[in-house]
Amino acid sequence: MAYDPLFEKLTCVIFDSYMECVMKINKLMVAGPTEIEDIVRQAGSNLMVYNRTPEFSQFLIEIEENLKAFFKTKNDVFILSSSGTGAMEAAVVNLLSPGDEVVIVSGGTFGYRWYEIANSYNVKCLIIDMPQGDTVAPELIRDRITSNTKAVFVTANETSIGVLTDLEAIGNYVKDTNAILVVDAVSSLGADKLETDEWFCDVVITASQKALAIPPGLSFITVSEKAWKLIYKSKLPKYYFDLKRYKEDILRGQTPFTPAISLLYQLDIRLKKILETGLDVILKQQSEKAAHLCKGLKALGLDVIGRTPSSGVIGILFPPQIDAFSIVETLRHEFSIEITPSPGADKHRIARIGLFGNITFIDIDILLESLKKILIRHISVRP
Ligand code: PLP
């Protein structure tokens, strides 16, 4: 049957109705995945092609150029078929050898994940544990780093609380040491300003389901010249994530293994749209939305976590008499809005609001109004 865009649109509408019957579809204001705009969603069901062709290589080379602009780097950006944790593991196994010393900044779940991965490969980890909501100062890193430190691992936005790290200050310090700076920007790149090359971030990773606003399943990693020197010496075991293979293949617009082709169709559209609008314009809009949300939360008497909240994820600390998890549940069941509960022990104190994808000022106002209604109930039932 010939390709028919009208038929495609109709199929999408029927499928949407089917999904609404089998699953309750709520407004996604979570820390990823995001809602996907129609044109991007439809691109995911484009006809399949064979990837080992000159045409596909050309397609990938164009994506690669756009990824570099998105990452603000002149270095290659490698595409991995995995979620963000895969790119974190790729960074560790490619850069390090058993017994290597590293410094890890942990301000919550995701900073700690660097430790969990590195420790499982017998890397010697020195952790800087940050009090909740605090951002690491470069001096703290200076106190822990030695001439043997191979890498400093940080999280651009600690998604479990929505707090930003001052990458510019840290990068400017680490560049003059033997160590490299490795940045998990999964929940930050595309939402907060991040100048990979200008701020001397040697390795930066991100994933598809946050500010890029395509479905989960792709992750990305860029590597500086300084970091490649470590990669060529690295002795940790690796196969699927061996970046040397990716480097060879990227030159000819290929990946060593079968890529997630449908996700690449979607990535291509999103990158073009982001770059056409202008990354700086998008970052400005994002920070205005975040400021609007923070102002509204404060007006409701709620505390936004940290002095440097991210523009992608905002963490709210609820007063002790209010159960944060019950707020998340009420928003879901009564108001059809999904926000993210905090992991582990913080579940009853903290919740997070994601502003990725096409979240508008109106969406934010509706959320604030819904929160207000729930909070009024809490106040009126207080003894
Ligand atoms: N790092 C950060 C900062 C994240 O926010 C996440 C996911 O939310 C991850 C890593 C892990 O990514 P994934 O769940 O895609 O493996």
Side-chain angles (χ1 to χ4, degrees), residues 22 25 47 55 96 104 116 127 131 133 191 207 213 245 280 362 374 383:
V22 295
I25 305 289
L47 296 173
E55 291 78 14
L96 302 172
I104 291 173
E116 290 176 322
I127 294 203
R245 292 170 181 266
D280 292 342
I362 296 174
I374 303 172

Side-chain angles (χ1 to χ4, degrees), residues 263-316:
L263 289 170
L264 291 177
Y265 293 150
Q266 297 177 306
L267 175 66
D268 179 48
I269 293 186
R270 276 293 293 154
L271 284 171
K272 282 178 179 152
K273 286 192 87 173
I274 290 170
L275 298 174
E276 265 163 35
T277 310
L279 187 51
D280 292 342
V281 173
I282 290 177
L283 296 182
K284 186 164 173 285
Q285 289 166 351
Q286 193 73 28
S287 81
E288 284 165 2
K289 285 182 211 167
H292 182 68
L293 174 60
C294 290
K295 193 168 160 215
L297 291 170
K298 283 175 194 157
L300 292 176
L302 297 172
D303 286 333
V304 171
I305 300 176
R307 263 173 294 135
T308 54
S310 155
S311 294
V313 182
I314 303 293
I316 316 168

Side-chain angles (χ1 to χ4, degrees), residues 12-30 33-36 38 41 331-339:
C12 278
V13 172
I14 294 168
F15 191 70
D16 285 354
S17 322
Y18 164 74
M19 282 303 287
E20 275 171 34
C21 290
V22 295
M23 204 181 276
K24 191 162 174 269
I25 305 289
N26 286 340
K27 181 86 210 158
L28 289 188
M29 297 184 79
V30 291
T34 66
E35 287 177 7
I36 313 287
D38 286 347
R41 221 151 46 96
L331 278 171
R332 171 182 303 140
H333 296 304
E334 283 186 38
F335 296 90
S336 301
I337 301 173
E338 298 281 355
I339 65 167

Side-chain angles (χ1 to χ4, degrees), residues 83-85 88 110 113 155 157 159 184 186-187 209-210:
S83 76
T85 308
M88 293 175 80
F110 294 104
R113 189 166 296 178
T155 313
N157 167 27
T159 323
D184 168 356
V186 167
S187 63
Q209 78 275 22
K210 310 271 183 188

